[in-house]
Amino acid sequence: MQAVHSSAADRPGLSRELPRDTPEALLVALMRMIRLIKRTQPTAIEPALQYVLYTVNCAGPLRLSDLAEQVQLDVSTVSRHARALETSGYLQRTVDPDDRRAAHLSVTNAGRQVLDDAFARRRANLDAALADWPEGDLHTLERLLNRLADDLEHQSSRGAGTGAGPDPSPSSVPPAPDPPPPGTPEVHDA
């Protein structure tokens, strides 16, 4: 049997070089960044479960359907994640006092500890990688990543990528505000 080798250039739609100055280049950079963050320090909990656990930790006791809505996943997927987190001792179910047929999910002490450990490891790696960045660049990065996440969330809620709803034109997206000058104290809305 002869092995068939093909390069990216031999396959339709794929180029030999990494994309530059395109949305595809941004997507590749984001995927690379996420992969590197995930692999730098293994944690006791996989990222998908960590996100579900984090959401329950922040939002307080939640019904499964409310959790699914918060993390924007279908209920069956969230149910599997919740079951795995319960089995690991990171989540617990309690009867909903308003509807005894339903249950609330809440984070256990072990769940809070695993979240703290996971975030501490990833935070240490990110802190080391960003140690030499100017403060203004850090604020700009944070602002732009949050803007991108907000826009992606907005598109997702409108059904983008599924053929539902028109894509906004670039002119309908307001420009991002300029970052504050270095040394300017941060102001947070209450």
Side-chain angles (χ1 to χ4, degrees):
M1 178 187 281
Q2 186 177 13
V4 177
H5 298 283
S6 68
S7 70
D10 298 332
R11 289 176 264 157
L14 297 176
S15 65
R16 219 174 243 272
E17 295 182 19
L18 289 177
R20 301 200 191 287
D21 299 327
T22 66
E24 186 178 348
L26 178 59
L27 186 59
V28 169
L30 288 169
M31 289 186 301
R32 179 175 171 240
M33 181 186 66
I34 290 167
R35 180 182 50 81
L36 291 167
I37 288 171
K38 284 180 183 179
R39 81 171 189 194
T40 52
Q41 288 283 333
T43 61
I45 185 171
E46 65 178 87
L49 296 180
Q50 183 178 338
Y51 182 59
V52 169
L53 188 61
Y54 174 79
T55 302
V56 175
N57 190 56
C58 291
L62 292 171
R63 287 182 172 201
L64 191 65
S65 57
D66 294 334
L67 175 58
E69 186 178 318
Q70 290 241 351
V71 297
Q72 297 182 350
L73 294 171
D74 63 86
V75 174
S76 64
T77 300
V78 174
S79 180
R80 284 191 304 276
H81 290 340
R83 203 169 20 257
L85 290 164
E86 281 181 274
T87 301
S88 299
Y90 302 143
L91 275 185
Q92 65 183 6
R93 286 182 197 253
T94 55
V95 175
D96 183 338
D98 298 328
D99 180 357
R100 304 206 46 85
R101 298 168 295 169
H104 282 152
L105 297 168
S106 59
V107 178
T108 65
N109 288 336
R112 278 187 281 284
Q113 186 61 53
V114 80
L115 276 176
D116 289 347
D117 293 347
F119 277 110
R121 285 186 189 134
R122 290 194 172 128
R123 192 178 310 114
N125 286 328
L126 200 53
D127 286 348
L130 298 172
D132 295 331
W133 284 42
E135 190 172 336
D137 287 356
L138 293 173
H139 289 291
T140 299
L141 177 63
E142 178 187 9
R143 179 180 52 80
L144 292 175
L145 286 175
N146 280 313
R147 178 179 173 195
L148 176 60
D150 290 345
D151 289 347
L152 288 170
E153 188 169 45
H154 177 74
Q155 285 299 107
S156 174
S157 68
R158 290 181 42 201
T162 61
D167 289 334
S169 67
S171 62
S172 68
V173 178
D178 291 331
T184 304
E186 290 187 52
V187 176
H188 298 284
D189 294 332

